[in-house]
Amino acid sequence: MTSSKDNLLTYQLIAGCSAILYSSIVLLVLVMPLYYLEGAVKGFISFSFYQLKMGDMLLKLPELERAISLSIPISLNSLFLLLLGLSSIAYWIYRKHSPVLARLMFPTSMATVFSTTIFYMTYTVYILKVVESLAGEYVVTSSAGILILGQVILESSPLADMMISPLPFLSISILNAVLSTMWILRIYTKLSSQGTK
């Protein structure tokens, strides 16, 4: 009986650590600036918010507004998963196994695979598109002639460089889903073996 409980506690610990790792990385990428802009347009761009100024005028870009809207469900999923992961570790510290946490973590972890896909689509379709359109020289042609406003210098953060390949995030989200599945299956295996006795 003790070894069975230890086995379940081990699954709980591993699934909890995986949930904390994945959700912490995603939340960090969502709130930290990915790109900094200097020159004719100044400011920064992240998933959850942005601030871009041309002179004294604040710029509002529809693509970035959509990216912010799409980042809300990803943030909520990651926050809930982080809470579940921390709770799993807290229960593990007190040597308590919680089947309720496993039942909650299973669908939340499965949703991370879907969240990661939305995460990359948002980055590629909206954020990267805006970043590419903002970089370069700003020239305005008017009746008075050609007015050169200046260049926009774009600097990417290390987080933006991490976003180039979806493989690391997708791998962590799949690993997280697999670990939570193993935990829930172990619980149902234990319940079914107790039922047959």
Side-chain angles (χ1 to χ4, degrees):
M1 190 74 168
T2 311
S3 66
S4 178
K5 185 186 175 184
D6 287 344
N7 198 351
L8 286 172
L9 283 168
T10 304
Y11 279 103
Q12 182 172 303
L13 173 66
I14 294 168
C17 289
S18 172
I20 291 168
L21 175 69
Y22 173 81
S23 54
S24 299
I25 292 170
V26 170
L27 288 169
L28 182 69
V29 173
L30 286 171
V31 297
M32 296 295 288
L34 297 171
Y35 296 97
Y36 297 94
L37 292 94
E38 285 293 328
V41 178
K42 294 180 182 186
F44 63 88
I45 298 170
S46 76
F47 265 95
S48 304
F49 53 94
Y50 69 97
Q51 185 178 347
L52 296 173
K53 276 185 169 185
M54 185 179 269
D56 292 332
M57 186 176 68
L58 274 172
L59 300 177
K60 279 249 196 222
L61 302 174
E63 292 89 353
L64 294 180
E65 295 296 326
R66 284 188 205 110
I68 290 168
S69 300
L70 288 168
S71 75
I72 293 169
I74 300 168
S75 302
L76 292 174
N77 179 260
S78 298
L79 280 170
F80 189 57
L81 188 64
L82 179 64
L83 184 66
L84 290 173
L86 291 169
S87 300
S88 297
I89 301 298
Y91 271 83
W92 177 82
I93 289 168
Y94 292 105
R95 307 273 305 148
K96 289 182 180 177
H97 179 256
S98 175
V100 175
L101 280 174
R103 288 184 184 107
L104 288 170
M105 195 179 285
F106 174 68
T108 310
S109 295
M110 289 297 166
T112 61
V113 180
F114 183 65
S115 286
T116 305
T117 309
I118 294 174
F119 188 69
Y120 273 98
M121 284 174 56
T122 304
Y123 176 73
T124 309
V125 174
Y126 297 117
I127 295 175
L128 207 55
K129 183 180 168 186
V130 167
V131 165
E132 286 169 356
S133 69
L134 285 172
E137 194 167 59
Y138 281 67
V139 178
V140 178
T141 307
S142 67
S143 57
I146 296 170
L147 179 65
I148 298 169
L149 298 173
Q151 234 181 357
V152 173
I153 300 156
L154 188 72
E155 188 182 322
S156 62
S157 73
L159 285 174
D161 297 335
M162 272 175 46
M163 294 293 296
I164 291 166
S165 169
L167 198 60
F169 279 117
L170 198 56
S171 301
I172 295 171
S173 69
I174 290 169
L175 176 67
N176 186 44
V178 167
L179 290 170
S180 68
T181 304
M182 288 170 64
W183 183 18
I184 198 86
L185 285 174
R186 185 69 192 101
I187 289 169
Y188 285 121
T189 304
K190 185 189 173 200
L191 288 173
S192 63
S193 66
Q194 283 176 348
T196 54
K197 285 181 182 178

